[in-house]
């Protein structure tokens, strides 16, 4: 905040109203912010113990992530699929569902988008790009519908079914990229699909080359998700089911339908993330290119306090760390996996927020806690 | 407490046949097929079965980790990470000590690997029992942490001097088929077979096992009659994670002889599937693990014989079967009632 000019009463008023809201804003972001700071400190200690200079390492990380236009673009590119998987997990959280399957939904989205991307030719980009995006999103939505339906009709817990579905997706896509859909280019021995046509590639924005269009789409989806959750009847139903399914049932809401629909939308968000990844960054489907995005989504959803707009800064943070990691490895000779360690500590501190609240002497607000797991299967 | 004991174990025993008919019938059919193929080609059949047992060892150990945790009411999806970390710690320990200790270094590696698994268990128990964190998130923390730590401290190209070798058990190893498969194995495989029996006895025939099951079903009631719910959960999660640690040590120090990034390759999650398929009983899990191990071994053999079923199809089989079981489409599982919920003493 710049020092306000006392002669301008309007700026002063805005500043005053901002100042009066500082405690409120602080109480809503304090846990994630403190969690990130503590995690970076612990990361620095690990670096010190293993004989690296933490200042040098973090400096290289920062420069690689934000040092120039190329770095910023890399950060935004890394953050884009993370926003989608974070949104997918956060959205399901609102209905009390734990979608560990964002991973599987995302890779199916990426695969189907690539099929539409290389399988159809001769149509203009204005049709081809959205067509492939929609195809990817639909694939993710359908794959998300499976655990939703299993939960509703058989009681099978979505955590176990989505873990299993992740591995099923991994095997199926691996088979397809190795077999029927393998890139037939002579000399290719890598498991990957052919390159998508240029007409399916998400174009760059004119003039602002550091800003990938996919990132804009991701932010747009975050806004739509927010609107869906807080401004529509469906969103109200989803939140009610999440807070108290019995009350929702008593109020005449169709809980079963809401659960399936939530998983469909969650899968759609993840699938769209996969499609954006394929059409904006990788330009084909290649197994193993997007491992762990699903689990990263859990960290990001929790760091963003399961709010659609909170997901964006959380994804930017993790995206920046991932984008700067290779620079850190190159310049400070630090293995990129330190990022995973830091991320695990962030996840731990955000989930065990009573530790941080104890450190900064803050009381928990109502409804801050997260508790979802209870049992796996159909209890006969 | 004493009066409750016969009721629980009796109902479980009575329903064993009814609950496990799928697993039992699949195993039965497999057995008949094995005898047929043994008649056709003894050497290949023996090799496939021996490979099946090797493949099943880390799965059944991981599954027993899941059994001990879930019987006491704690969901553990961090088995994968625990295995990975222990595989690494066990390997590095034996690598660093091999000059000083010679062949004994491997055994020190095994012990340290198991203990590091226990340490991960302590972390999970602290998160889910003391901090009352969501248990799925707790497991995810362990999984991400293990990927990070093992990747960060990993160094390319380290190989141990040796790995644990097979010890034929005298004349037993000369029995056709059975001898080669069961009595000509490296030490940790024998140990695993022994542990299956021990965990079964622990759960069903000791006071500790009864209390564990009580805590998993109804912690409040157990607490009322003086059982220390926190202690039962802590100890079971730590013991179970030691077993997952043994699975990790098995991978690096007995099966492969070196460590690679992400080498557990989903085995911890397959172990969850094995646990559910085996209805959270040690012998059920063993049967399921053998079945999955057999599928993998058979698959490898088919590739050698140029019969091309894509290996991914066999690879996804355990996961499909588990979904069917959890959904109650093929048999049913019954969760411990208090599974996944934190207990607070008031």
């Amino acid at each position: 905040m710049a020092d306000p000019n006392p002669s301008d009463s309007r700026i002063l008023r805005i500043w005053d109203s901002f100042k009066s809201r500082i405690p409120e804003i602080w109480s809503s972001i304090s846990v994630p912010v403190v969690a990130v700071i503590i995690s970076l400190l612990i990361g620095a200690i690990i670096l010190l113990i293993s004989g690296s200079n933490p200042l040098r390492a973090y400096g290289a990380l920062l420069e690689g992530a934000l040092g120039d236009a190329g770095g910023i673009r890399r950060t935004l590119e890394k953050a884009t699929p993370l926003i989608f998987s974070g949104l997918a997990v956060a959205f399901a959280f609102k209905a009390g569902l734990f979608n560990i399957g964002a991973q599987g939904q995302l890779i199916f989205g990426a695969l189907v988008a690539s099929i539409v991307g290389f399988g159809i030719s001769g149509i203009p980009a204005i049709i081809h790009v959205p067509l492939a995006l929609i195809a990817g999103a639909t694939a993710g939505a359908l794959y998300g519908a499976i655990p939703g339906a299993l939960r509703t009709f058989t009681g099978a817990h979505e955590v176990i079914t989505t873990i299993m579905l992740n591995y099923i997706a991994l095997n199926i896509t691996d088979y397809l990229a190795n077999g029927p859909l393998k890139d037939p280019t002579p000399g290719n021995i890598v498991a990957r699909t052919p390159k998508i046509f240029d007409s399916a590639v998400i174009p760059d924005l004119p003039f602002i080359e550091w800003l990938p269009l996919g990132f804009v789409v991701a932010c747009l989806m975050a806004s739509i998700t927010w609107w869906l959750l807080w401004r529509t009847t469906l969103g109200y139903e989803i939140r009610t089911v999440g807070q108290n399914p019995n009350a929702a049932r008593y109020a005449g809401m169709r809980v079963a339908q809401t659960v399936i629909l939530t998983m469909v939308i969650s899968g759609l968000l993840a699938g769209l993330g996969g499609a954006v990844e394929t059409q904006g960054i990788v330009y084909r489907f290649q197994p193993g290119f997007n491992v762990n995005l699903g689990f990263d989504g859990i960290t990001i959803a929790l760091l963003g306090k399961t709010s659609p707009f909170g997901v964006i800064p959380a994804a930017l943070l993790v995206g920046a760390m991932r984008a700067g990691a290779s620079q850190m490895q190159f310049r400070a000779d630090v293995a990129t996996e330190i990022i995973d360690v830091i991320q695990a500590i962030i996840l731990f501190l955000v989930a065990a927020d009573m530790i941080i609240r104890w450190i900064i002497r803050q009381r928990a607000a109502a409804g801050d806690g997260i508790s979802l797991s209870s049992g796996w299967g159909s209890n006969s | 407490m004493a009066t409750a004991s016969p009721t629980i174990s009796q109902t479980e025993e009575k329903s064993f046949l009814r609950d496990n008919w799928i697993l039992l019938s699949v195993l039965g059919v497999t057995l008949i097929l094995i005898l047929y193929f043994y008649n056709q080609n003894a050497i290949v059949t023996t090799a496939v079965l021996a490979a099946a047992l090797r493949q099943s060892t880390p799965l059944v150990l991981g599954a027993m980790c899941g059994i001990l945790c879930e019987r006491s009411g704690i969901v553990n999806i961090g088995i994968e990470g625990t295995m990975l970390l222990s595989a690494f710690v066990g390997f590095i320990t034996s690598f660093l000590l091999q000059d000083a200790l010679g062949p004994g270094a491997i055994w020190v590696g095994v012990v340290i690997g198991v203990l590091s698994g226990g340490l991960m268990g302590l972390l999970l128990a602290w998160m889910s029992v003391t901090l009352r964190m969501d248990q799925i998130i707790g497991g995810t923390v362990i999984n991400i942490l293990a990927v990070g730590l093992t990747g960060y401290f990993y160094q390319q190209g380290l190989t141990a001097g040796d790995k644990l070798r097979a010890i034929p058990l005298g004349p037993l190893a000369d029995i056709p088929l059975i001898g080669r498969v069961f009595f000509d194995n490296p030490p940790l495989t024998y140990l695993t077979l022994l542990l299956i029996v021990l965990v079964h006895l622990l759960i069903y025939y000791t006071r500790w096992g009864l209390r564990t099951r009580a805590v998993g079903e109804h912690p409040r009631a157990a607490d009322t009659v003086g059982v220390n719910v926190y202690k039962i959960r802590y100890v079971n999660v730590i013991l179970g994670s030691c077993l997952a640690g043994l699975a990790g040590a098995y991978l690096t120090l007995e099966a492969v002889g070196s460590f690679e990034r992400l080498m557990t390759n989903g085995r911890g999650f397959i172990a969850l599937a094995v646990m559910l398929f085996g209805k959270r009983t040690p012998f059920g899990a063993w049967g399921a693990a053998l079945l999955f191990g057999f599928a993998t071994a058979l698959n490898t053999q088919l590739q050698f014989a140029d019969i091309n079923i894509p290996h991914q199809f066999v690879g996804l089989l355990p996961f499909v079967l588990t979904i069917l079981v959890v959904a109650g489409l093929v048999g049913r599982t019954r969760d411990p009632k208090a599974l996944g919920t934190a207990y607070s003493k008031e």
Side-chain angles (χ1 to χ4, degrees), chain A:
Chain A
M1 272 291 122
D3 197 16
N5 182 351
S7 64
D8 191 335
S9 64
R10 217 183 61 174
I11 293 181
L12 199 65
R13 255 209 323 278
I14 294 173
W15 171 242
D16 274 347
S17 80
F18 177 77
K19 230 171 31 183
S20 68
R21 288 189 59 199
I22 283 179
E24 184 194 330
I25 295 170
W26 170 243
S27 86
S28 70
I29 62 166
S30 55
V31 169
V33 168
V34 176
V36 169
I37 294 170
I38 295 178
S39 306
L40 287 172
L41 286 176
I42 297 177
I45 294 171
I46 296 175
L47 287 171
L48 262 181
I49 291 173
S50 53
S52 305
N53 180 345
L55 285 178
R56 239 177 84 121
Y58 285 163
L61 183 83
L62 199 64
E63 202 179 315
L66 303 168
D68 53 8
I72 291 174
R73 187 184 168 95
R74 243 188 338 269
T75 295
L76 296 179
E77 277 179 353
K78 294 274 182 200
T80 305
L82 296 174
I83 293 179
F84 281 108
S85 62
L87 279 176
V89 176
F91 188 80
F93 266 148
K94 291 291 182 201
L97 298 167
F98 208 142
N99 182 12
I100 293 201
Q103 183 72 60
Q105 294 139 19
L106 190 140
I107 61 177
F108 258 120
L111 177 76
V112 170
S114 84
I115 293 174
V116 174
F118 73 74
I120 303 173
S121 63
I123 52 174
I126 192 110
I127 301 171
H128 204 175
V129 171
L131 190 70
L133 285 176
I134 291 169
T138 311
L142 289 175
Y143 208 58
I146 300 173
L150 284 170
R151 167 82 189 232
T152 300
F153 297 122
T154 72
H157 199 280
E158 75 278 1
V159 167
I160 201 78
T161 53
T162 51
I163 287 176
M164 300 301 145
L165 284 166
N166 280 344
Y167 279 94
I168 293 173
L170 217 60
N171 276 292
I172 293 178
T173 53
D174 193 47
Y175 163 70
L176 291 174
N178 259 308
L181 299 178
K182 189 170 179 177
D183 181 9
T185 315
N188 172 44
I189 50 160
V190 183
R192 61 181 196 198
T193 63
K195 198 166 182 290
I196 59 173
F197 287 108
D198 286 346
S199 55
V201 172
I202 298 175
D204 275 338
L205 288 169
F207 311 120
I208 348 174
E209 60 185 29
W210 53 268
L211 180 66
L213 190 55
F215 180 77
V216 180
V217 176
C219 292
L220 200 69
M221 285 313 291
S223 317
I224 295 175
T225 309
W226 179 86
W227 172 81
L228 189 66
L229 275 173
W230 296 99
R231 290 288 181 272
T232 65
T233 316
L234 176 66
Y236 179 70
E237 288 185 354
I238 287 171
R239 287 181 288 118
T240 313
V241 167
Q243 271 156 19
N244 191 340
N246 289 327
R249 199 170 289 121
Y250 198 66
M253 293 175 187
R254 290 156 301 184
V255 175
Q257 210 175 324
T258 310
V259 165
I260 297 181
L261 208 53
T262 305
M263 284 306 291
V264 166
I265 295 170
S266 177
L268 183 144
L269 290 164
L272 190 57
V276 169
E277 175 96 333
T278 293
Q279 293 173 255
I281 297 161
V282 193
Y283 305 132
R284 61 171 95 238
F285 178 77
Q286 193 162 340
F289 236 61
N290 28 33
V291 283
N292 284 334
L293 283 175
F295 279 107
D296 287 348
I298 298 171
T299 311
I300 285 155
L302 289 181
L303 187 59
K305 302 197 87 178
T306 73
S307 131
F309 288 124
V311 161
I312 296 175
L316 279 172
L317 179 88
V318 176
M321 291 201 293
R322 300 230 172 261
S326 52
Q327 185 79 352
M328 180 181 68
Q329 182 164 37
F330 178 67
R331 293 245 316 267
D333 197 24
V334 168
T336 55
E337 279 87 354
I338 191 72
I339 303 298
D340 289 302
V341 178
I342 293 173
Q343 206 179 311
I345 302 169
I346 291 178
L347 178 62
F348 165 74
L349 287 173
V350 178
D353 61 349
M354 57 197 254
I355 295 179
I356 290 182
R357 289 188 192 288
W358 179 75
I359 292 172
I360 59 176
R361 309 274 190 275
Q362 188 187 67
R363 277 202 194 156
D368 261 5
I370 293 156
S371 178
L372 296 152
S373 53
S374 62
W376 285 140
S378 52
N379 280 312
S380 50

Side-chain angles (χ1 to χ4, degrees), chain B residues 168-189:
Chain B
L169 290 187
L172 284 175
D174 297 330
I175 306 170
L177 188 62
I178 297 171
R180 277 270 158 263
V181 174
F182 285 108
F183 301 118
D184 188 7
N185 283 308
L188 295 187
T189 308

